[in-house]
Amino acid sequence: MSGSPMPRTPQRLTDRKREAIVRAAVEEFRSAGYEATSMDRIAAVAGVSKRTVYNHFPSKEELFALILEELWQSSVASVELPYRADQPLDVQLLQLLRQKLDLLGDANFIDLARVAMAEIIHSPERAQAIVCRMGEKESGVSAWIRAAIADGRLRQVDPEFAGHQLQGLVKSFAFWPQVTMGQAPLAQAERTRVAESAVAMFLGFYAV
C-alpha cells in the first residue's frame, strides 16, 4: 500500500516537465519567431536539460506542430454551442460569435497565430500535415449550422461553406487586422457591433 503512489510520481514529474517545455516554446516562438528559436533556448527557459526536451519532442518542427494543433484546438473548443430548436436563431448565433470574439480578443492567441501564420507562409510544407488534420474536424459553428438546416430553419447549404462565410465576417475585423497589421484587439463595443451585424447579414440570406 505504501508503495502504490510511487509509479505515479515519475509520471507527474514527466507531465510537468513536458508542460514546462511547451510553455517555454510558446514564449520563445512568440518573442523570437520560429527560425530564431532554438531547442537550447527552450530547454533553458523551461529549466530542463536539452536531452529532456528531445526525449519529449524529437525536433523543433514537431514541437511547433504541436503548438499549432493546440492553437487550433483552443479555437475550436472556444466555439461550442449545441443547437437549440426552442431558441431564436439570432440569440444562438450571437452567443457563438461572442465566444469566438472573446478568443480573438486574447493577445496571447493573436501572438501565437501571428507566429504560426508567418511560418506557414514561409515553410508551408512544415505545416501541411497539421493543416490537413485540422481540415478533417468540424468546427462548432459548422455543426450548429448543420443542425439548424436539419431542423428546417436555414436554407440548404454546405455547412462548412456557410460556416466559413460567417466566421469570415468576424475575422475580417477581429483577426486579420490584428495578425497582419498589428492592430489592437477590438474593444467590447466593437465586438458587439461586429457580432450583431454578422448575424443579421447571415440570417438575412440563409434563414428560412
Side-chain angles (χ1 to χ4, degrees):
M1 294 263 299
S2 61
S4 60
M6 293 302 292
R8 294 197 298 270
T9 302
Q11 182 61 41
R12 290 202 299 270
L13 179 59
T14 298
D15 289 345
R16 288 199 297 271
K17 286 184 176 181
R18 187 179 189 277
E19 289 171 6
I21 292 167
V22 171
R23 286 197 302 270
V26 167
E27 180 181 331
E28 288 303 301
F29 286 138
R30 283 180 57 200
S31 61
Y34 179 86
E35 291 297 336
T37 296
S38 68
M39 295 294 258
D40 284 329
R41 178 61 184 164
I42 291 171
V45 173
V48 301
S49 68
K50 186 176 178 180
R51 179 178 179 180
T52 298
V53 174
Y54 278 108
N55 284 341
H56 287 279
F57 303 99
S59 67
K60 185 172 73 170
E61 289 82 0
E62 188 163 319
L63 180 51
F64 185 73
L66 170 76
I67 290 172
L68 276 185
E69 184 161 13
E70 290 188 351
L71 179 72
W72 183 82
Q73 289 285 3
S74 69
S75 176
V76 172
S78 73
V79 187
E80 292 291 343
L81 183 73
Y83 171 76
R84 293 281 302 272
D86 60 334
Q87 288 187 357
L89 297 181
D90 60 343
V91 171
Q92 297 181 67
L93 275 180
L94 277 172
Q95 186 174 343
L96 268 174
L97 294 190
R98 286 186 182 121
Q99 291 175 359
K100 186 71 174 181
L101 284 161
D102 285 344
L103 175 74
L104 297 179
D106 183 275
N108 290 331
F109 178 86
I110 292 298
D111 283 346
L112 272 179
R114 188 178 294 118
V115 173
M117 194 65 60
E119 188 55 28
I120 289 171
I121 293 171
H122 181 258
S123 301
E125 68 282 356
R126 183 175 288 134
Q128 186 174 10
I130 182 63
V131 171
C132 288
R133 289 204 300 274
M134 291 176 184
E136 294 171 357
K137 302 175 183 179
E138 184 176 69
S139 73
V141 172
S142 299
W144 185 93
I145 291 173
R146 187 181 304 278
I149 292 171
D151 195 31
R153 300 174 74 188
L154 291 180
R155 292 168 46 187
Q156 289 294 327
V157 64
D158 177 0
E160 291 292 336
F161 178 84
H164 279 300
Q165 283 186 319
L166 180 59
Q167 296 194 68
L169 292 172
V170 170
K171 287 185 173 182
S172 63
F173 291 96
F175 180 76
W176 293 115
Q178 290 73 21
V179 169
T180 62
M181 295 184 288
Q183 291 186 12
L186 297 184
Q188 191 59 53
E190 294 173 310
R191 293 187 204 179
T192 298
R193 180 185 178 193
V194 167
E196 289 179 348
S197 62
V199 168
M201 292 176 69
F202 183 84
L203 293 181
F205 187 74
Y206 285 117
V208 172

